[in-house]
Amino acid sequence: TLINSLKVNSVHLVGHSFGGLIAMEYTHKNSNKVRSLTLSEPPLLRLKGCEQWYKAAQKGLIENVNLAFKTKDTTQIMTAIFEFFVGADIQDQVPPEVLRSLKENLTEMEALVNSNDPFPNISTDFQVPVMLITASNTMPILKCTNDALVKKMPDAKHVQLSDAGHEMWMTHPEILSTHLRDFISSNQSGNDK
């Protein structure tokens, strides 16, 4: 709806994490409206070589976090989430404003753990230029999917941030903005805004 309301011929689409999965799916269904696609660490757990993470996510994330949601206790829910992604409950180490933001966005996680297909198998074949952004200090589950995606898309521009984690857009906005501007500029057409 937003893209249609912009009244432009095409857009430069950027998706981070699960937003990357959404951006990929949109691009497949609407390739004529996407000028370029930038993906940062989409959790493509069904890529070859990452099957063990798909199984681990089904049990450790989907089942355990779903059980935690039944308690309606945000602290327990966050414990289950952190235990899967980080290996320990680190709520006491997370800045209060970040923890508050995570708790305010638990609806997304609840939708994920109740989805019929939380980690869809999305094709990586695109008819548009693609930039992949990865972080060296990301979670092991995403290191696997990042490596597999880079191998599967050798023609994509790849930017790796050596001192960043999965929250790269919060910790490295200037660097990422520069890479994004350069990539978009190199894929600009006369009808783009």
Side-chain angles (χ1 to χ4, degrees), residues 88-101:
D89 184 4
I90 59 166
Q91 290 180 73
D92 59 339
Q93 300 168 37
V94 175
E97 65 278 4
V98 173
L99 188 59
R100 185 173 46 257
S101 175

Side-chain angles (χ1 to χ4, degrees), residues 58-160:
Q58 291 294 350
K59 176 70 177 161
L61 180 65
I62 304 305
E63 290 179 24
N64 292 347
V65 174
N66 203 341
L67 287 173
F69 268 108
K70 291 182 185 345
T71 70
K72 300 190 185 320
D73 180 340
T74 58
T75 300
Q76 281 190 290
I77 297 166
M78 292 308 302
T79 296
I81 293 169
F82 281 128
E83 285 178 348
F84 176 75
F85 284 110
V86 188
D89 184 4
I90 59 166
Q91 290 180 73
D92 59 339
Q93 300 168 37
V94 175
E97 65 278 4
V98 173
L99 188 59
R100 185 173 46 257
S101 175
L102 290 170
K103 286 183 176 183
E104 288 171 355
N105 288 291
L106 281 175
T107 304
E108 173 192 352
M109 185 61 72
E110 187 172 19
L112 170 73
V113 299
N114 285 295
S115 170
N116 291 332
D117 191 12
F119 299 102
N121 189 13
I122 300 174
S123 170
T124 57
D125 296 326
F126 295 101
Q127 303 303 313
V128 300
V130 177
M131 178 168 65
L132 303 173
I133 303 174
T134 60
S136 293
N137 298 330
T138 196
M139 300 168 269
I141 190 171
L142 293 174
K143 283 184 181 181
C144 183
T145 58
N146 287 345
D147 291 346
L149 187 59
V150 168
K151 285 178 189 167
K152 193 153 177 72
M153 300 181 73
D155 294 333
K157 177 179 180 175
H158 178 215
V159 173
Q160 183 169 31

